[in-house]
């Protein structure tokens, strides 16, 4: 495939600086995408909050930092919540900078999940593309996504088909998956390590079910992640015998993969329609099988019986039973799946195809590219 280098502006989530952990999986997605696009010789400008840090392998990107108050996450809103933008908000500050830099770019890629950039798309000269990072969590967001799918279908992409199915789209969804720099993940063949769980510590991630399964087996559970909801973390810890949860905190990719790779299995227990499941693929990259609820992105990523086991959603007994079958999984098959489906090279190539096709569609309508 011939790649024609583009000038691209990428916009981070308006929830925290890059590297803080507050942006959840978007941070890892964004850095992987930047790295892959740079390898394809695209010129990349990243717009992010003040205090953001890019990994060394993304140093060829131009980082533009803007100041502002973090945007409330739609993840914690109810389905009928209204659009809220705080005074001196980071969201409008990011998009002011993005539109300014977008005037000199071929395309602007929105990696955050919020209403403003979706609404702006038909009315501004820079061509805005949106990598949707969550499923249907609020009516106002669903309506904005579905409206844009009707007016500008080429401007939307999703991580998985299950995520895209949350929305009523006029045609087939563009699904680009996700990707990771596998040089950051060491394949480990050890099979008798502890159980692990990773993610933001928040109710929609379902840590209490993983804790219950570990407790049923009388084993500790190593937990990595940012404690977004400390009351919830306390609740989960109180629900199982003392010492069941071993809090490892928010770690760098290097630190986490070293510890995660020693695990016998990773448990994934989403209570919502997870758009993708970054930590699932990170575990597989280390050769760690994944036991997961058959819900959302993880249910699309895991090959049950080959790279782990899928069990009915919210069934702790089935989760516990599947943990006893980990030895049936070949850890080399876990790594092989990632090498074929989820490297940052594969991911950035899919994103490039999406942007290229969208720009060509615009050119057919306007006569300009």
């Amino acid at each position: 495939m011939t790649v024609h280098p583009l000038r691209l502006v990428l916009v981070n989530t308006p929830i925290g600086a890059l590297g803080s952990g507050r942006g959840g999986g978007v941070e890892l997605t964004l850095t992987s995408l930047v790295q892959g696009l740079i390898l394809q010789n695209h010129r990349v400008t990243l717009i992010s909050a003040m205090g953001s840090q890019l990994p060394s392998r993304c140093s060829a990107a131009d980082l533009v930092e803007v100041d502002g108050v973090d945007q409330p996450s739609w993840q914690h809103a109810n389905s009928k919540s209204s659009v809220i933008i705080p005074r001196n908000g980071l969201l409008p500050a990011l998009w002011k900078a993005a539109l300014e830099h977008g005037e000199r770019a071929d395309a602007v890629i929105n990696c955050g999940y919020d209403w403003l950039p979706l609404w702006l798309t038909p009315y501004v000269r820079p061509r805005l593309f949106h990598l949707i990072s969550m499923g249907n969590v609020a009516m106002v967001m669903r309506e904005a996504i579905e409206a844009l799918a009707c007016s500008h279908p080429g401007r939307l992409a999703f991580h998985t088909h299950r995520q895209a199915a949350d929305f009523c789209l006029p045609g087939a969804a563009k699904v680009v998956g996700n990707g990771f720099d596998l040089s950051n993940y060491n394949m480990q063949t050890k099979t008798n390590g502890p159980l692990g769980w990773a993610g933001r510590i928040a109710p929609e991630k379902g840590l209490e079910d993983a804790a219950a399964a570990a407790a049923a087996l009388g084993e500790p559970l190593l937990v990595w992640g940012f404690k977004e909801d400390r009351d919830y973390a306390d609740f989960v810890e109180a629900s199982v015998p003392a010492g069941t949860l071993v809090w490892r905190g928010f770690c760098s990719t290097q630190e986490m993969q070293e510890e995660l790779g020693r695990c016998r299995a990773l448990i994934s227990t989403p209570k919502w329609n997870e758009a993708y499941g970054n930590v699932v693929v990170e575990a597989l990259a280390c050769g760690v099988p994944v036991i997961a609820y058959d819900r959302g992105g993880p249910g699309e990523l895991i090959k049950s019986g080959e790279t782990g086991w899928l069990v009915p959603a919210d069934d702790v007994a089935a989760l516990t039973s599947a943990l006893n079958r980990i030895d049936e999984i070949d850890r080399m098959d876990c790594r092989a799946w990632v090498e074929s489906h989820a490297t940052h090279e594969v991911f950035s190539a899919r994103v490039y195809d999406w942007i290229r096709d969208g720009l060509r569609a615009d050119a057919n309508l306007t006569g300009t590219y």
Side-chain angles (χ1 to χ4, degrees):
M1 178 188 73
T2 301
V3 174
H4 299 284
L6 299 173
R7 295 164 299 172
L8 299 170
V9 175
L10 275 65
V11 187
N12 190 21
T13 172
I15 306 171
L18 187 64
S20 68
R22 288 180 52 77
V26 172
E27 294 191 27
L28 186 58
T29 298
L30 186 58
T31 53
S32 295
L33 180 55
V34 169
Q35 187 176 346
L37 292 172
I38 288 171
L39 289 174
Q40 291 182 336
N41 294 315
H42 301 294
R43 291 180 57 186
V44 177
T45 298
L46 174 63
I47 314 292
S48 190
M50 195 68 66
S52 291
Q53 295 181 340
L54 274 171
S56 59
R57 290 174 180 168
C58 298
S59 59
D62 294 323
L63 177 61
V64 176
E65 298 176 90
V66 300
D67 201 8
V69 176
D70 283 4
Q71 185 72 13
S73 173
W74 283 102
Q75 225 157 18
H76 306 126
N78 65 54
S79 64
K80 297 182 179 180
S81 292
S82 300
V83 173
I84 297 173
I85 299 179
R87 183 169 179 266
N88 300 321
L90 179 59
L91 178 64
L94 287 173
W95 282 96
K96 180 177 184 293
L99 294 179
E100 290 172 353
H101 287 269
E103 291 286 349
R104 302 181 295 277
D106 294 296
V108 178
I109 305 176
N110 167 36
C111 295
Y113 186 94
D114 222 298
W115 177 85
L116 179 60
L118 295 164
W119 182 84
L120 286 170
T121 302
Y123 306 112
V124 297
R125 186 161 58 180
R127 285 167 283 201
L128 310 187
F129 290 75
H130 307 271
L131 179 53
I132 304 299
S133 61
M134 289 193 284
N136 174 23
V137 295
M139 291 173 61
V140 68
M141 284 299 298
R142 187 194 71 229
E143 290 168 357
I145 290 168
E146 291 175 353
L148 195 60
C150 291
S151 67
H152 293 72
R155 302 292 187 87
L156 295 173
F158 301 85
H159 289 295
T160 60
H161 292 281
R162 289 192 179 195
Q163 174 205 7
D166 261 7
F167 305 98
C168 183
L169 307 175
K174 181 67 175 180
V175 173
V176 296
N178 212 335
F180 305 83
D181 179 357
L182 294 195
S183 68
N184 289 328
Y185 301 90
N186 298 316
M187 169 68 199
Q188 298 195 42
T189 58
K190 185 176 179 180
T191 59
N192 61 347
L195 301 174
W197 184 97
R200 285 179 301 100
I201 316 301
E204 66 271 11
K205 296 293 187 175
L207 174 58
E208 68 270 23
D209 287 6
L217 295 174
E219 295 192 42
L221 178 67
L222 275 59
V223 178
W224 295 272
F226 176 74
K227 285 189 179 181
E228 187 173 82
D229 187 330
R230 292 186 176 274
D231 289 340
Y232 169 71
D234 292 343
F235 161 77
V236 175
E237 188 160 35
S239 71
V240 292
T244 299
L245 298 185
V246 182
W247 300 104
R248 305 303 298 159
F250 177 73
C251 303
S252 68
T253 296
Q254 180 62 32
E255 292 172 320
M256 191 187 80
Q257 68 87 28
E258 287 179 2
E259 296 184 5
L260 176 59
R262 301 187 194 107
C263 287
R264 187 168 82 259
L266 177 83
I267 305 174
S268 177
T269 49
K271 294 290 186 177
W272 69 324
N273 188 18
E274 194 86 56
Y276 187 74
N278 285 353
V279 72
V280 167
V281 180
E282 290 185 281
L284 297 177
C286 297
V288 178
V290 181
I291 309 299
Y293 286 155
D294 191 1
R295 171 185 279 143
E300 194 169 311
L301 302 175
I302 298 161
K303 304 304 175 185
S304 198
E306 297 179 21
T307 60
W309 297 101
L310 293 172
V311 303
D314 307 320
D315 190 336
V316 176
L319 196 68
T320 307
S321 178
L323 287 168
N324 289 319
R325 302 183 64 187
I326 286 297
D327 291 345
E328 299 176 35
I329 304 299
D330 187 334
R331 291 170 73 100
M332 294 298 296
D333 290 341
C334 299
R335 175 75 178 203
W337 183 90
V338 180
E339 290 174 347
S340 297
H341 297 86
T343 66
H344 64 294
E345 293 95 343
V346 168
F347 177 43
S348 59
R350 292 191 191 115
V351 170
Y352 169 74
D353 287 346
W354 163 47
I355 301 299
R356 179 202 60 199
D357 291 348
L359 292 175
R360 285 177 176 172
D362 284 355
N364 291 335
L365 291 174
T366 65
T368 61
Y369 187 128

